[in-house]
Amino acid sequence: MSCEAGVSLDAWLAALAEPGTVRPVLNAPNPVLAREGDEVDPTDPAVLRLAADLVATMRVSRGCVGLAAPQIGESAKVFAVDVTGHPKAVTVHGTFVLCNATVVSATRWRPGREGCLSVPDLTGDVKRASRVVVEGALPGTGEPVRLTTDGFEARALQHEIDHCAGMLFLDRVAGAHALYQRKVYL
Amino acid sequence: MDELAITVIGRDRPGIVADVAEALADLGANLTDSTMTRLRGHFAMTLVCTGPDAGDVEAALGPLAVRGRLLATVRAVGPEEVTTPTGEPYVLSVHGADRLGIVAAVTRVVAEAGGNITDLTTRLAGPLYVLVAEVELPPGTAPQTEERLNAAAAGLGVDVVLRRAESDVL
């Protein structure tokens, strides 16, 4: 891996000149959400357009801190994350999109409540690693990125990587009493 | 001492728990285990208590049931049998488009594997049906059970995940 995140992510975002298109978000039980996404070529211009669309759609969706390609109907291992300004976030890397990302290290498991734009009526308690190292590639240049993060951003990354594998938080809820009807919509 | 198994269900409104709990407390009933929740606008209570006679509880809940438009049942059951779990704990998650028979098909697979369901919740959220169950499976049977669950899920067009339950003690 060539570099830690930070600098390269900022440069990447500046290079994302093309404004994305806001796309409709699919809800479960749409089968695309349950399908494992394909690995992508991060240098493919279509993947860069998909990245721009994910960022654009994430930005107009209230309370949305991450969005994966299957959620906008593309069965691909690409997702956007931005936890900037979120009260639960400690480490924040700003807005970024990763391709073919995997968790290479996961420690300090903690329970936490999760919701999902694609499961609007339910939330659930899910145990996730609160420190992770994630490796992926930036769309466009294909530059490899190794990202170390914690807390809420780590949770968001794991949630999105799950989406790319065809998994929802519903597949990871802690038990029969860990699923809740959403009472407050953002 | 015998225990009473009590169920109360009615259209949700403020005060149901207070009314029922007060009636039981007045009879000296010791509320041992209970679970109470709202199910699609109905409030459902399942209680186990010790102390009073079933007849006394029925008499106390009768007027409340009429006045509060509740459906209450009371049944004396034997004392608790201490059972130690012999299986391995798993969490089973199922979700997909709502259709008839999801719970029946999935729980039948668990039963045929000799598994015991200890807790189960289902939620219907728009077109999405979700089932989460806590299950004890006989040691060594999980891989085969998972295979059969996947086959049943494929037939129903739903997704199923069986995973080992957390056993951390903090």
Side-chain angles (χ1 to χ4, degrees), chain A:
Chain A
M1 290 294 117
S2 67
C3 57
E4 262 296 317
V7 174
S8 64
L9 291 183
D10 290 345
W12 174 81
L13 187 62
L16 188 67
E18 184 187 357
T21 305
V22 174
R23 309 256 299 256
V25 175
L26 306 183
N27 282 354
N30 192 299
V32 177
L33 294 167
R35 193 182 305 148
E36 172 151 18
D38 296 325
E39 294 252 333
V40 297
D41 171 3
T43 62
D44 183 343
V47 171
L48 191 59
R49 282 197 296 278
L50 172 60
D53 290 356
L54 284 168
V55 171
T57 309
M58 177 173 70
R59 284 190 168 147
V60 299
S61 305
R62 198 146 182 242
C64 183
V65 295
L67 194 67
Q71 293 180 276
I72 57 169
E74 304 273 355
S75 199
K77 285 187 166 38
V78 184
F79 65 81
V81 160
D82 186 1
V83 299
T84 307
H86 195 284
K88 287 185 192 162
V90 183
T91 302
V92 175
H93 285 93
T95 309
F96 58 94
V97 178
L98 290 182
C99 302
N100 309 327
T102 54
V103 177
V104 294
S105 158
T107 53
R108 302 189 194 173
W109 295 78
R110 305 271 185 276
R113 186 71 61 88
E114 283 184 29
C116 178
L117 215 52
S118 296
V119 187
D121 299 320
L122 299 170
T123 61
D125 293 330
V126 178
K127 203 171 185 186
R128 304 267 192 198
S130 61
R131 274 193 78 83
V132 292
V133 178
V134 167
E135 290 179 355
L138 295 178
T141 62
E143 183 186 358
V145 169
R146 182 184 172 93
L147 196 135
T148 302
T149 191
D150 56 29
F152 192 66
E153 193 176 63
R155 179 171 291 273
L157 281 164
Q158 290 165 87
H159 181 111
E160 302 311 329
I161 289 170
D162 269 0
H163 267 305
C164 293
M167 299 266 286
L168 298 174
F169 77 88
L170 300 171
D171 297 309
R172 293 199 189 272
V173 287
H177 291 281
L179 192 64
Y180 312 92
Q181 296 277 8
R182 191 189 274 275
K183 295 187 175 75
V184 179
Y185 291 88
L186 289 165

Side-chain angles (χ1 to χ4, degrees), chain B residues 51-131:
Chain B
D53 281 342
D56 291 344
V57 174
E58 269 175 355
L61 293 182
L64 180 65
V66 172
R67 198 174 62 243
R69 288 188 292 169
L70 301 169
L71 181 66
T73 69
V74 183
R75 191 163 68 89
V77 290
E80 181 187 7
E81 289 172 24
V82 180
T83 52
T84 46
T86 53
E88 297 167 339
Y90 283 83
V91 178
L92 173 64
S93 308
V94 181
H95 55 87
D98 184 30
R99 56 165 288 175
L100 200 70
I102 293 175
V103 180
V106 168
T107 57
R108 179 56 63 198
V109 172
V110 174
E112 284 173 355
N116 192 25
I117 292 167
T118 56
D119 216 331
L120 187 148
T121 297
T122 66
R123 293 284 184 191
L124 177 62
L128 174 68
Y129 195 79
V130 184
L131 177 162

Side-chain angles (χ1 to χ4, degrees), chain B residues 4 9 15 20 83 87-88 94 110 121 123 135 140 156 159 164:
Chain B
L4 299 181
I9 186 162
V20 173
T83 52
E88 297 167 339
V94 181
V110 174
T121 297
R123 293 284 184 191
V135 179
L156 293 161
D159 289 287
R164 189 78 194 234

